[in-house]
């Protein structure tokens, strides 16, 4: 007898059943297989549709190229501000919008060359047999694919699909966008290669490249993109400054087209080299222009002095006159040259100061060294001012940001302010030098005045002539020096390793990563679904659930039936399912023996709700008793839903109801079955008062009569969770079997059973777990409770149900083979 106090322990067991979860997870192995198949298929399709991604790089060195011919007096070096500053300037410039705009415009990278492949549209820049020569001054179709089909080596069809009457166009010179009216539909027109295409929305020429290969009947696409968007997409150049050697920079870029990457990286550096060299040369060019202007003036002065000397020499003894002033001639020449040098410096400072105050373009400033100025601060600031002015001029054609203009204007203003202060300080120093030279000249001139008038006149002419000649010689020397500097100038930026496609460079797509993600997704998603089902599903899943929720003994586990009727034991007597009922029979005999029962034994089967298989269990338990030569009768006492007669091909016209109302005798309501020793009393017509009939004295009379004729009486009763009929009938039962069904009986129903047993409404209760499918093993219900699924060990003993699932069949064969090898 079960102790009632044992039920208190199981009332509130809500812990996580890890073992149950594992069993539940294993039972859904088909879901995991399906999930893996789908996820791997998706990963495979994604990998097919992904283009290969390459990464290429170029390496450059930044080093100030000093010309060995430079001296302090002739230095025209363009200095970017020291090595570290120069490297940072280069790195910043390479990523700047203004610089990238120049490169994009030079390469026409706003034009895409495309070709449709099976899974994606491929960038065929470099491999396309043609190039698009764009007329940047006119409108071009923006963002709409333009198809080209070559019908012959010299002709092609131009096809454009217009989906509206208005299309966007862009002018790449002004970067202005507009709308252009077109005819809705398909535009098709044939052109010759090299023929200029002139349309309101397209102005370009298609030219064939050298060695194009076979391109006839090939279909290509080209497309014009937004200039600003294209520039933004190419500003992702990765710049890495070598930590060990700060003057080494590595540039890298990734994309789907290696030819495009190579061209862009190399042109990006070449354009910067060109700009930097032009900035250096600009200093020398300005100096040469300044010198040429001065030389023109000095040559004019020299001609005038030469004419004056020729006129003076007429009719005079020039040799005698020259001898009289020979003492002063070289002395006064040296002083005149010194004065000219000082005056040139002052004039340069005055001109530079006036130019800084009145002009906005400082790209034409000459080198201070041309005027003999060696002041370092002035030379440096003039070069900085030129460089900033050049940068601003370049920005005017490409940069639209007002903020960038304000920043560079502020830099120019700061340099200009410092330069003006340097000029004022230098002028103060040179003024003193000028006054000293003038004093010496005045002293020399006072001595010259003591000479005869013709000697004074001759000396004045010679002073002009010699000064002009001396200045011309000096300027010619400086001009030659400036030309040498310009010719010898080298860019501070040099290629170490230009970008080149030498094979390799593949960095994506990461197909292995996609497959790993697919593997985890294919397992994780079904696992999460199973996890959700496990917590949402409040049904009995296995014997552990029953043992956790109640102390009522579990007498047997019955698997799924694989027969058309409920007569499973009769149809397949050697199956594992039949053995499970025989095991229940043995357990029942043990219970009867434990109760010291003799004579007729009564067994009642009930459940929580309809559909848990109590009728199925009643029939097969009765069958195993009958097959053991025991006279057995099944009494259908579910008067509301009669079922038990159909499987025996019997009629329900008369039954227990007819007996209970005194209408018919026991023999009249008893029906024979095809199974020896097994009779059936169906419920009969549905009465209006089933509970009252069961509670009447006639029920006792029925049971007494049955005990006189049969060894075993099986009572098939209504669900105890729905009606109380089974409670009333429990007084006639020696043992009550409570049927629960896997994945059907709710766990809260076990509490209902516990309460009824605690109140002794039901006594001598045992549980049958019906419909058990151990999906974790083969996935088809092999191995029913208490060890009746031994695989290869059960060969010859059990008639196994053959699974229809090919995977299960294969897995079972493999398992049986492995078991056989172990036995041998």
């Amino acid at each position: 007898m079960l102790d009632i106090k044992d039920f208190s322990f199981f009332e509130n067991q809500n812990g996580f059943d890890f073992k149950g979860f594992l069993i539940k997870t294993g039972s859904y192995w088909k879901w995991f297989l399906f999930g893996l198949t789908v996820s791997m298929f998706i990963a495979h399709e994604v990998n097919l549709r992904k283009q290969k991604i390459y990464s290429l790089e170029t390496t450059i060195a930044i080093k100030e190229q000093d010309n060995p011919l430079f001296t302090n007096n002739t230095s025209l070096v363009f200095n970017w501000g020291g090595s570290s500053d120069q490297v940072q300037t280069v790195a910043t410039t390479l990523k700047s919008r203004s610089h990238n705009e120049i490169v994009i415009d030079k390469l026409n990278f706003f034009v895409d060359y495309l070709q449709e492949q099976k899974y994606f549209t491929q960038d065929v820049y470099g491999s396309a047999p043609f190039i698009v020569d764009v007329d940047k001054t006119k409108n071009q179709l923006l963002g709409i694919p333009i198809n080209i089909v070559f019908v012959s080596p010299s002709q092609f069809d131009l096809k454009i699909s217009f989906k509206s009457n208005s299309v966007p166009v862009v002018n790449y010179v002004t970067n202005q966008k507009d709308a252009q009216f077109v005819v809705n539909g398909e535009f098709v027109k044939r052109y010759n290669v090299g023929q200029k295409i002139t349309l309101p929305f397209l102005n370009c020429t298609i030219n064939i490249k050298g060695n194009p290969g076979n391109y006839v009947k090939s279909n290509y696409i080209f497309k014009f993109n937004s200039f600003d968007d294209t520039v933004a997409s190419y500003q992702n150049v990765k710049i890495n400054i070598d930590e060990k050697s700060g003057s080494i920079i590595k540039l890298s870029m990734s994309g789907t087209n290696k030819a495009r990457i190579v061209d862009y990286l190399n042109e990006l550096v070449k354009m910067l080299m060109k700009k930097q060299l032009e900035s250096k040369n600009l200093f020398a060019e300005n100096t040469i222009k300044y010198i040429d202007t001065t030389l023109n003036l000095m040559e004019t002065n020299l001609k005038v002095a030469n004419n004056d000397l020729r006129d003076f020499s007429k009719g005079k003894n020039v040799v005698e006159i020259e001898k009289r002033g020979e003492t002063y001639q070289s002395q006064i020449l040296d002083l005149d040259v010194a004065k000219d040098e000082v005056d040139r410096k002052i004039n340069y400072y005055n001109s530079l100061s006036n130019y800084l105050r009145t002009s906005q373009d400082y790209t034409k400033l000459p080198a201070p060294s041309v005027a003999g100025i060696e002041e370092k601060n002035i030379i440096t600031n003039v070069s900085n001012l030129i460089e900033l002015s050049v940068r601003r001029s370049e920005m005017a054609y490409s940069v639209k940001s007002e903020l960038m203009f304000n920043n560079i204007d502020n830099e120019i203003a700061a340099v200009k302010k410092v330069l003006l202060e340097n000029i004022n300080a230098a002028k103060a120093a040179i003024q003193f030098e000028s006054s000293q030279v003038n004093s010496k000249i005045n002293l020399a001139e006072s001595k010259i005045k003591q000479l005869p008038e013709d000697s004074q006149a001759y000396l004045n002419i010679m002073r002009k002539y010699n000064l002009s000649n001396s200045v011309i010689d000096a300027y010619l020397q400086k001009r030659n020096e400036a030309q040498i500097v310009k010719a010898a100038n080298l860019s501070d930026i040099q290629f170490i390793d230009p970008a080149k496609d030498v094979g390799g460079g593949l960095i994506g797509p990461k197909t292995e990563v996609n497959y790993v993600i697919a593997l985890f997704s294919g397992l994780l998603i079904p696992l999460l679904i199973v996890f959700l089902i496990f917590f949402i599903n409040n049904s009995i899943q296995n014997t552990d659930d029953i043992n956790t929720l109640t102390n009522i003994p579990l007498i047997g586990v019955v698997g799924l039936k694989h027969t058309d009727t409920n007569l499973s034991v009769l149809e397949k007597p050697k199956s594992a399912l039949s053995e499970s009922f025989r095991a229940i029979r043995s357990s029942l005999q043990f219970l009867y023996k434990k109760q010291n029962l003799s004579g007729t034994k009564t067994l009642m089967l009930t459940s929580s709700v309809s559909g848990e298989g109590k009728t199925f269990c009643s029939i097969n338990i009765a069958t195993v008793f009958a097959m053991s030569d025991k006279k057995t009768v099944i009494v259908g006492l579910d008067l509301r839903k009669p079922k038990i007669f159909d499987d025996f091909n019997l009629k329900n016209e008369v039954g227990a109801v007819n007996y209970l109302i005194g209408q018919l005798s026991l023999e009249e309501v008893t029906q024979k079955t095809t199974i020896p020793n097994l009779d059936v009393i169906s419920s009969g017509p549905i009465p209006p008062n089933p509970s009252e009939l069961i509670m009447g004295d006639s029920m006792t009379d029925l049971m007494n009569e049955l005990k006189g004729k049969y060894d075993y009486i099986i009572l098939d009763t209504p669900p105890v969770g729905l009606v109380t009929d089974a409670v009333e009938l429990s007084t006639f039962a020696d043992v009550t079997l409570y049927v629960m069904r896997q994945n059907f009986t709710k766990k809260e129903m076990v509490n209902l059973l516990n309460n009824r047993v605690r109140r002794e409404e039901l006594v001598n209760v045992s549980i049958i777990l019906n419909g058990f499918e151990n999906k974790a093993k083969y996935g088809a219900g092999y191995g029913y409770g208490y060890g009746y699924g031994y695989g290869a060990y059960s060969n010859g003993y059990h008639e196994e149900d053959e699974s229809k699932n090919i995977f299960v069949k294969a897995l079972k064969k493999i398992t049986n083979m492995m078991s056989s090898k172990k036995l041998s």
Side-chain angles (χ1 to χ4, degrees), residues 502-545:
V502 293
L506 183 66
I507 61 171
K510 301 291 186 181
T511 55
E512 299 86 356
V513 173
N514 289 340
Y515 284 122
V516 171
I517 293 173
L519 175 65
F520 281 102
S521 300
L523 295 174
L524 183 61
I525 293 174
L527 183 64
L528 291 175
I529 295 174
V530 172
F531 194 76
L532 186 63
I533 291 174
F534 184 79
F535 280 97
I536 292 176
N537 188 357
N538 195 33
S539 303
I540 297 294
Q541 298 298 316
N542 48 49
T543 57
D544 289 340
D545 286 348

Side-chain angles (χ1 to χ4, degrees), residues 478-705:
K478 289 184 180 293
R479 191 181 192 284
N480 289 335
E481 290 173 352
Q483 287 179 327
I484 292 172
V485 167
K486 180 181 177 182
N489 261 344
L490 296 173
S491 173
D492 293 344
I493 304 162
Q494 298 296 325
F495 273 116
I496 293 179
D497 194 7
K500 185 179 180 181
D501 178 15
V502 293
L506 183 66
I507 61 171
K510 301 291 186 181
T511 55
E512 299 86 356
V513 173
N514 289 340
Y515 284 122
V516 171
I517 293 173
L519 175 65
F520 281 102
S521 300
L523 295 174
L524 183 61
I525 293 174
L527 183 64
L528 291 175
I529 295 174
V530 172
F531 194 76
L532 186 63
I533 291 174
F534 184 79
F535 280 97
I536 292 176
N537 188 357
N538 195 33
S539 303
I540 297 294
Q541 298 298 316
N542 48 49
T543 57
D544 289 340
D545 286 348
I546 296 173
N547 293 331
T548 301
L549 295 168
T550 183
N551 256 2
I552 299 173
L554 180 67
I555 198 172
V557 178
V558 177
L560 289 174
K561 72 181 181 72
H562 296 277
T563 56
D564 295 331
T565 68
N566 284 330
L567 302 175
S568 298
V569 173
L570 180 65
E571 294 181 15
K572 292 188 177 183
K574 291 181 64 178
S575 67
L577 180 64
S578 299
E579 287 301 324
S580 65
F581 283 111
R582 292 188 181 97
I584 294 172
R585 179 185 64 188
S586 299
S587 298
L588 287 171
Q589 288 172 340
F590 174 77
L591 290 177
Y592 292 139
K593 185 177 180 180
K594 189 177 180 181
Q595 296 180 36
N596 296 319
L597 293 175
S598 59
T600 303
K601 283 84 174 176
T602 306
L603 176 66
M604 183 181 81
L605 283 89
T606 187
S607 63
S608 302
V609 292
S610 179
E612 291 175 302
K614 56 182 178 54
T615 299
F616 168 71
C617 292
S618 299
I619 291 173
N620 286 284
I621 290 173
T623 301
V624 294
F625 277 123
M627 292 174 72
S628 61
D629 292 330
K630 300 295 182 181
K631 293 192 66 176
T632 307
V633 64
I634 304 175
V635 184
L637 293 177
D638 191 352
L639 306 184
R640 293 171 175 80
K641 291 181 67 177
K643 285 184 180 180
I644 208 164
F645 55 90
D646 277 340
D647 294 293
F648 296 102
N649 293 322
L650 301 175
K651 294 183 179 180
N652 191 38
E653 295 176 354
V654 295
V657 172
N658 301 94
Y659 180 89
L660 293 176
I661 63 175
Q663 188 180 43
L664 297 174
S665 64
L666 180 62
E667 289 73 12
E668 292 175 314
V669 298
T670 303
Q671 301 183 67
K672 296 292 183 180
T673 67
T674 57
I675 302 172
N677 300 316
L678 180 59
D679 294 340
V680 172
I681 300 175
S682 63
S683 60
I686 299 174
N689 54 345
S691 296
E692 286 73 13
L693 286 178
I694 290 173
M695 294 172 63
D697 294 336
S698 56
M699 186 66 212
T700 304
D701 296 338
L702 175 62
M703 292 303 297
N704 290 334
E705 281 196 61

Side-chain angles (χ1 to χ4, degrees), residues 264-527:
Y264 195 80
L265 285 177
N266 289 337
E267 189 61 36
L268 192 69
V269 176
K270 288 178 182 177
M271 188 60 67
L272 187 60
M273 292 169 65
K274 180 183 176 184
K275 286 170 58 180
Q276 197 259 345
L277 186 58
E278 286 176 351
S279 296
K280 274 189 171 184
N281 289 337
L282 184 62
F283 212 172
E285 289 169 358
N286 291 344
T287 301
I288 291 171
K289 289 179 182 178
Y290 180 84
I291 290 173
D292 288 343
T293 302
T294 305
L295 282 175
N296 290 333
L297 179 62
M298 290 297 103
E299 286 175 355
T300 302
N301 293 339
L302 184 62
K303 288 179 181 179
V304 171
N306 191 44
N307 292 333
D308 290 344
L309 181 60
R310 186 173 58 251
D311 293 340
F312 178 81
S313 300
K314 290 178 180 179
K316 294 185 177 65
N317 189 352
V318 176
V319 175
E320 181 65 26
I321 295 172
E322 185 177 3
K323 282 183 178 180
R324 291 199 295 265
E326 188 175 5
T327 306
Y328 303 102
Q329 188 170 342
S330 60
Q331 180 183 2
I332 198 67
L333 177 61
D334 292 339
L335 291 173
D336 284 340
V337 170
K339 185 178 187 307
D340 180 73
E341 289 178 357
V342 171
D343 289 344
R344 272 191 284 126
K345 290 179 182 180
I346 294 174
N347 291 335
Y348 181 87
Y349 287 140
N350 291 333
S351 299
L352 181 60
S353 178
N354 183 60
Y355 191 85
L356 292 176
R357 288 188 172 91
T358 59
S359 179
Q360 297 296 324
D361 180 15
Y362 308 111
T363 59
K364 299 179 181 179
L365 289 175
S369 58
V370 75
I373 296 172
E374 300 176 7
E375 179 62 38
K376 260 187 180 180
N377 291 334
I378 292 178
I379 293 173
T380 301
N381 286 326
V382 167
S383 64
N384 288 341
L385 195 60
I386 292 174
E387 189 269 336
L388 289 170
S389 186
V390 170
R391 277 171 54 191
R392 195 186 191 287
S393 299
E394 292 172 350
M395 289 168 58
Y397 294 100
S398 55
V399 178
K400 312 300 181 206
S401 172
E402 192 67 30
L403 179 61
M404 294 180 68
F405 278 111
N406 291 337
N407 290 339
I408 199 166
D409 285 343
N410 291 335
E411 289 185 56
I412 291 173
V415 173
K416 188 168 70 171
K417 181 179 179 182
V418 172
L419 185 56
L420 286 170
E421 292 175 356
N422 293 336
I423 291 171
N424 291 332
K427 280 176 65 177
I430 204 71
Q431 291 290 351
F432 176 74
E433 184 180 348
S434 176
S435 63
Q436 286 186 323
V437 171
N438 286 330
S439 297
K440 291 179 181 179
I441 289 174
N442 291 334
L443 179 62
E445 286 179 344
S446 65
K447 292 179 180 180
I448 290 173
K449 287 181 179 179
Q450 297 175 6
L451 294 174
E453 288 185 2
D454 56 352
S455 295
Q456 291 183 39
Y458 178 77
L459 279 176
N460 287 333
I461 293 172
M462 289 304 298
R463 281 177 68 181
K464 294 178 182 178
Y465 180 86
N466 289 336
L467 179 60
S468 297
N469 200 40
S470 176
V471 171
I472 288 173
D473 289 343
Y475 271 89
L476 284 174
Q477 181 183 353
K478 289 184 180 293
R479 191 181 192 284
N480 289 335
E481 290 173 352
Q483 287 179 327
I484 292 172
V485 167
K486 180 181 177 182
N489 261 344
L490 296 173
S491 173
D492 293 344
I493 304 162
Q494 298 296 325
F495 273 116
I496 293 179
D497 194 7
K500 185 179 180 181
D501 178 15
V502 293
L506 183 66
I507 61 171
K510 301 291 186 181
T511 55
E512 299 86 356
V513 173
N514 289 340
Y515 284 122
V516 171
I517 293 173
L519 175 65
F520 281 102
S521 300
L523 295 174
L524 183 61
I525 293 174
L527 183 64

